[in-house]
Amino acid sequence: MSGGDNVNKLVNLFEGEGAACDEFGCAIPGSEDGQEAGGETEAADSQAGLKAGAEAAGAEAGPKAETASARRAILPGATIGVLGGGQLGRMLAHAGNRLGYRFVTLDPTPDSPCGQTAAQIVAAYDDREAARELAQRSDVITYEFENVDAGVAEMLERESYVPQGSKLLYTTQHRLREKQAVEAAGAQVAPYAEIESLAGLQEAAARLGLPAVLKTATGGYDGKGQWVLRSEDELATAWEEASRVGTQLVLEKFIVFDKEISVIAARSPSGEVKTFPPAENIHVHNILHLSIVPARISDKVRAEAEKLAVSIAETLGAVGLIAVEMFLTADGELYVNELAPRPHNSGHYTMEACRTSQFEQHVRAICDLPLGDPSLLTPVVMANILGEHMEPLLEWMGEKDSAAEKLGVEVKVHLYGKAEAKHKRKMGHLNVLAPNVDAALEWIAQSKIWRV
């Protein structure tokens, strides 16, 4: 069976024949890592590190990653503060611990995934006193998802050392600002229009054409806050639902794509930039299901995708990781769909398949250490584990896997420590290492884990 046949088989298995978006390809993606709600240094040492960080970064450090004062190496033994306590923070702490860093996280959920591997401050993301406590206990601060309060990030930027700054966070939290920034970096996005009324939606739909996607400008992930519009009859209902969300709205022309790919770039305050190999992404019900690496794209497209990711990272002054999600059309055109200024679900494959994982690379980047080699060591397919997959996964883990032996694959399990296995909630992922991606896809197709 070919890799393409395997993908079609898997998508049909999950979505069923005749699913709403089948005629246009895979589901419209949202931000892939939307979150649901280690040791510590001594207070004196942390305060000294905080002061040094603030002095080095400057009173208005922000995204001024280019200034000499912002260029400072944060060496192992220091404490990294993480805004957000989800699975990305957890895996970041695992990688950083191996390098010798300590971690403290701020998250409102007690015993959060990151809090199980680091010290935790239990507080809301907009709690400024809690954020100041995080700063006092940290030598450098990062964030693990976009819905962190930008005002808090800006405050921390003034009072401590946040090499990522708040400007990029502010930009990527809002789809209209993000699209304008992507265009400024020389990449193309799907034609779009800001929507402020039903009449405006009707006019934009007529101008851009249907199908189109109505999205909230802020918030939303894994397909939430999105309405796929295929006929004029759906406009009024979509406007009524979307306008109740209370945020700006944007209408995007539906790009009929051949593949979805993503490239994760890392950039340090010193300006070093490296990219991971592009991942080919398969979505099911608007949630990332598979990331296939090497992506089945031409060398020309691969080079262009990596070039776009570098241009966006440099133009936006990114520090740390930035994931660039793209649509690839049948005629080879690339459209940037979304940005994520952090580790990304489609980069989880790097944990075993690359010389340096995305999480270690993020630590290296924000600490201004030399970036690691992102080269691919083995073909791999990453598959997400949702709440409904946990029971069959645990059953599989207790059994001998003859199919894996026959196909020559090695399956690596990563679970996130979430308390409750909710339907459609990301609970973990598998990295299926294989001699080629067809073997990995065949193992996934044969597995009972995703048949629920």
Side-chain angles (χ1 to χ4, degrees):
M1 181 180 292
S2 70
D5 290 339
N6 275 327
V7 169
N8 291 333
K9 179 179 176 181
L10 289 164
V11 172
N12 288 336
L13 174 65
F14 282 90
E15 292 196 315
E17 299 294 341
C21 64
D22 281 353
E23 60 197 291
F24 303 115
C26 297
I28 296 294
S31 178
E32 287 306 339
D33 291 296
Q35 304 290 313
E36 305 141 43
E40 307 168 27
T41 57
E42 294 295 329
D45 291 341
S46 291
Q47 186 60 39
L50 170 65
K51 181 178 179 181
E55 291 173 350
E60 296 180 1
K64 295 181 180 178
E66 300 300 332
T67 65
S69 62
R71 296 173 183 171
R72 57 186 295 263
I74 307 295
L75 298 177
T79 297
I80 298 175
V82 184
L83 282 167
Q87 62 259 27
L88 299 179
R90 177 189 182 93
M91 291 181 278
L92 189 68
H94 282 157
N97 288 159
R98 289 193 293 273
L99 290 174
Y101 291 94
R102 299 171 183 265
F103 283 78
V104 58
T105 183
L106 188 158
D107 192 272
T109 304
D111 194 38
S112 67
C114 185
Q116 294 168 20
T117 61
Q120 180 173 353
I121 300 167
V122 180
Y125 296 127
D126 60 357
D127 186 328
R128 296 199 168 211
E129 290 309 308
R132 286 192 169 98
E133 180 185 351
L134 179 71
Q136 290 169 359
R137 297 169 65 175
S138 306
D139 299 293
V140 60
I141 294 175
T142 185
Y143 45 81
E144 60 124 31
F145 79 120
E146 296 94 323
N147 291 332
V148 169
D149 186 275
V152 168
E154 184 179 10
M155 179 197 77
L156 289 172
E157 181 183 15
R158 293 194 305 269
E159 300 181 9
S160 60
Y161 183 45
V162 188
Q164 289 163 283
S166 61
K167 184 176 179 180
L168 183 55
L169 184 66
Y170 174 80
T171 298
T172 56
Q173 282 181 337
H174 194 283
R175 282 190 169 91
L176 289 168
R177 292 194 293 263
E178 181 177 88
K179 290 177 182 299
Q180 292 161 1
V182 169
E183 290 176 313
Q188 63 180 344
V189 298
Y192 65 95
E194 182 178 357
I195 303 302
E196 298 179 333
S197 65
L198 174 57
L201 175 60
Q202 292 168 333
E203 184 279 328
R207 175 164 47 86
L208 298 178
L210 295 176
V213 188
L214 182 64
K215 298 182 179 181
T216 55
T218 59
Y221 60 89
D222 290 342
K224 297 177 176 65
Q226 302 182 18
W227 294 261
V228 180
L229 308 176
R230 295 179 174 82
S231 70
E232 293 181 6
D233 295 340
E234 297 174 325
L235 300 183
T237 299
W239 165 255
E240 182 179 354
E241 293 178 3
S243 60
R244 287 200 296 263
V245 176
T247 182
Q248 286 181 287
L249 301 171
V250 58
L251 185 72
E252 299 177 8
K253 181 178 178 61
F254 197 111
I255 300 299
V256 181
F257 56 85
D258 184 56
K259 286 182 173 66
E260 294 179 80
I261 63 174
S262 58
V263 176
I264 296 174
R267 183 176 179 275
S268 70
S270 296
E272 185 181 13
V273 182
K274 290 190 176 181
T275 60
F276 287 95
E280 176 187 344
N281 300 318
I282 307 296
H283 291 80
V284 173
H285 300 308
N286 300 320
I287 300 174
L288 182 64
H289 173 41
L290 304 176
S291 289
I292 303 167
V293 186
R296 294 164 301 180
I297 55 179
S298 69
D299 289 342
K300 179 181 178 181
V301 169
R302 192 183 316 276
E304 179 63 20
E306 292 178 355
K307 180 181 177 182
L308 286 175
V310 170
S311 176
I312 288 170
E314 292 181 333
T315 302
L316 273 62
V319 172
L321 298 185
I322 184 164
V324 183
E325 299 179 59
M326 310 176 203
F327 294 138
L328 172 64
T329 64
D331 59 0
E333 290 288 309
L334 285 171
Y335 291 84
V336 173
N337 180 37
E338 290 184 343
L339 306 179
R342 51 162 173 76
H344 194 258
N345 196 171
S346 69
H348 292 351
Y349 78 87
T350 64
M351 296 175 76
E352 284 91 15
C354 291
R355 290 186 180 274
T356 305
S357 77
Q358 67 164 341
F359 299 102
E360 179 183 336
Q361 197 78 301
H362 185 73
V363 171
R364 286 181 169 276
I366 64 170
C367 292
D368 210 8
L369 303 182
L371 298 182
D373 181 356
S375 299
L376 190 68
L377 296 172
T378 175
V380 59
V381 176
M382 188 284 301
N384 271 327
I385 298 295
L386 307 182
E388 59 267 34
H389 306 142
M390 281 298 294
E391 184 175 344
L393 171 70
L394 295 176
E395 290 178 1
W396 165 79
M397 291 182 71
E399 301 171 351
K400 184 177 177 62
D401 190 340
S402 58
E405 292 180 358
K406 181 178 179 181
L407 291 165
V409 307
E410 179 71 22
V411 183
K412 300 297 186 181
V413 180
H414 298 269
L415 296 178
Y416 304 150
K418 294 183 179 179
E420 185 179 354
K422 296 179 181 178
H423 188 71
K424 300 303 177 191
R425 186 187 197 192
K426 292 174 183 173
M427 301 299 295
H429 70 272
L430 304 183
N431 282 337
V432 185
L433 313 179
N436 53 67
V437 296
D438 286 350
L441 290 169
E442 180 60 27
W443 181 86
I444 293 168
Q446 290 184 21
S447 173
K448 296 179 181 179
I449 295 171
W450 295 275
R451 293 183 182 274
V452 292

